[in-house]
Amino acid sequence: MRASLSPNGAFSRRDFMRGATAAVALRLLNGARPAAAQGDSRVDSPVATKAIPHSGEPIPVIGLGTANDFQSRPQGADRDRLKQVIDGLLAQGCKLIDTASSYGEAESVLGDLLSDQDRARVFLATKIEDGSRKGGLAEFRHSLERLRYRQADLLQLHNVQNPHQDLAPFREWKAQGLCRYVGVTTTFKGDYDAAEAVIRREKPDFFQVDYSLADRTAEKRLLPAARDAGAAVLTALPYGRSSVFAAVRGKSVPEWARDFDATTWPQFFLKFLLGHEAVTAVIPGTTNPVHLADNVSAGRGRFPDAKQRQAMIDFFAAL
Ligand SMILES: NC(=O)c1ccc[n+]([C@@H]2O[C@H](COP(=O)([O-])OP(=O)(O)OC[C@H]3O[C@@H](n4cnc5c(N)ncnc54)[C@H](OP(=O)(O)O)[C@@H]3O)[C@@H](O)[C@H]2O)c1
């Protein structure tokens, strides 16, 4: 059940036409993808979903991060480009958008860019810095105001540091209908022990952690802890802030990656993450509609199994 500003769930002819326009735009953009991606027979197949363990609700495996170029209020062509990225995400059946109170103006930018019809489709995840009952609630209400939402889908405690962090206030806000799920995040190695303690004790609905082929530290303890706790996992920094692209610059995607339907590097890197049993969805950051289309295509077709993932690890290590 959603409670956005006008969640009537009905799609008017205008909405349909706008979605259709975005789909056409994406098809045109698909034509501009790298040569290796052209002729991809999976272009019309649906993006895969995975279940959120605590509820069974399916969620498309490709999302969008807003930590970078959503931080300042865009004007003119820059605003159009961000809107095109969001329209592209939704037109392809994806819905997860991840933001935070600390990402500059990102919440306000999303509040401006998302129409009421968009809000009814988006799975909106945000984060607050203050985990206390009083301060956290004030911060969360401010986030909802900026986002123009009455209810977030997911509220996360940003960068959990305290191993004794109590998530009871978050669960209370969930019971009050201010959010549908609660979670914690970390991208700091020094806080990994604290994150593990909180995940195992508090069993949040979601856990967000940095995980990419360039940094697999989360595999050791945090992903198993999330699996044991039944927490859905979102992978922050799936491209290691572009470091994975730098590692393969000038190199072709190996032929054997076609066995799991990866024909571009973004597909290779995202499918690696989605092949992990504990990973629910990835949230690459982009403000480029062509990149968005390629990221979305990583959610189609097959994902690598354990043997194929090991071959990817060996390949990347040998670069
Ligand atoms: N503690 C936390 O909870 C935490 C911390 C960090 C991040 N996060 C979350 O994780 C999200 C992702 O992190 P991030 O955006 O910093 O790093 P990232 O997703 O690892 O990398 C983003 C970079 O990759 C590029 N890129 C994206 N798609 C591409 C494609 N198909 N081809 C080529 N380049 C591509 C982007 O450039 P273009 O814009 O040009 O595409 C951008 O420079 C954040 O937005 C945030 O939601 C959470």
Side-chain angles (χ1 to χ4, degrees):
M1 192 177 67
R2 296 294 314 267
S4 57
L5 280 181
S6 300
N8 59 18
F11 287 89
S12 64
R13 179 179 151 75
R14 192 165 152 240
D15 301 328
F16 173 80
M17 289 308 292
R18 202 173 53 153
T21 305
V24 168
L26 267 174
R27 278 167 198 281
L28 291 173
L29 289 167
N30 281 340
R33 288 188 303 165
Q38 291 174 7
D40 187 342
S41 62
R42 296 170 294 111
V43 120
D44 290 322
S45 65
V47 172
T49 60
K50 290 197 183 188
I52 297 168
H54 283 177
S55 67
E57 177 183 349
I59 185 162
V61 297
I62 306 293
L64 172 69
T66 61
N68 299 316
D69 287 354
F70 283 76
Q71 292 227 12
S72 51
R73 284 182 188 270
Q75 304 289 337
D78 288 340
R79 184 183 184 282
D80 293 346
R81 191 165 41 92
L82 293 191
K83 181 65 179 152
Q84 213 179 354
V85 165
I86 290 172
D87 285 349
L89 184 82
L90 300 180
Q92 298 296 303
C94 300
K95 55 166 69 172
L96 170 62
I97 299 180
D98 181 72
T99 190
S101 64
S102 61
Y103 292 171
E105 294 289 316
E107 289 181 325
S108 300
V109 171
L110 285 172
D112 169 46
L113 290 175
L114 294 173
S115 67
D116 287 344
Q117 285 78 19
D118 292 339
R119 283 184 175 80
R121 290 194 284 169
V122 164
F123 185 103
L124 196 281
T126 194
K127 315 183 192 79
I128 55 174
E129 306 294 308
D130 189 337
S132 72
R133 187 171 270 101
K134 192 172 170 208
L137 183 58
E139 186 183 351
F140 183 27
R141 285 196 187 283
H142 184 55
S143 287
L144 291 173
E145 202 176 298
R146 298 205 310 170
L147 287 158
R148 303 184 205 166
Y149 268 73
R150 286 205 301 263
Q151 179 192 55
D153 291 289
L154 168 60
L155 174 66
Q156 303 156 103
L157 177 60
H158 200 192
N159 298 324
V160 63
Q161 294 174 302
N162 175 4
H164 306 294
Q165 178 70 48
D166 180 9
L167 292 184
F170 287 68
R171 285 191 289 271
E172 286 168 21
W173 303 331
K174 175 178 164 178
Q176 291 164 13
L178 293 173
C179 59
R180 300 200 300 131
Y181 297 101
V182 300
V184 295
T185 82
T186 186
T187 54
F188 293 96
K189 301 289 178 285
D191 294 331
Y192 270 23
D193 286 349
E196 183 183 354
V198 173
I199 293 164
R200 290 198 179 279
R201 190 187 59 252
E202 301 287 326
K203 298 183 175 34
D205 300 315
F206 276 79
F207 173 52
Q208 183 178 152
V209 66
D210 52 329
Y211 179 37
S212 72
L213 251 180
D215 183 353
R216 298 172 32 241
T217 316
E219 283 176 358
K220 293 190 186 81
R221 299 179 63 97
L222 291 179
L223 295 187
R227 185 198 53 215
D228 294 349
V233 171
L234 307 181
T235 65
L237 305 176
Y239 294 137
R241 293 197 168 96
S242 283
S243 64
V244 291
F245 295 122
V248 297
R249 189 164 295 133
K251 296 193 183 329
S252 302
V253 178
E255 271 298 310
W256 46 262
R258 288 180 183 274
D259 293 345
F260 46 89
D261 302 312
T263 55
T264 67
W265 284 120
Q267 294 167 14
F268 187 92
F269 294 130
L270 297 184
K271 279 175 178 280
F272 170 76
L273 303 174
L274 293 169
H276 194 294
E277 58 161 355
V279 172
T280 310
V282 296
I283 45 170
T286 187
T287 51
N288 180 327
V290 176
H291 288 174
L292 185 277
D294 204 3
N295 295 344
V296 166
S297 66
R300 299 192 172 101
R302 294 163 288 184
F303 299 125
D305 61 21
K307 201 171 154 199
Q308 290 166 323
R309 291 184 84 247
Q310 188 57 51
M312 299 169 93
I313 292 167
D314 296 342
F315 175 88
F316 195 77
L319 289 170

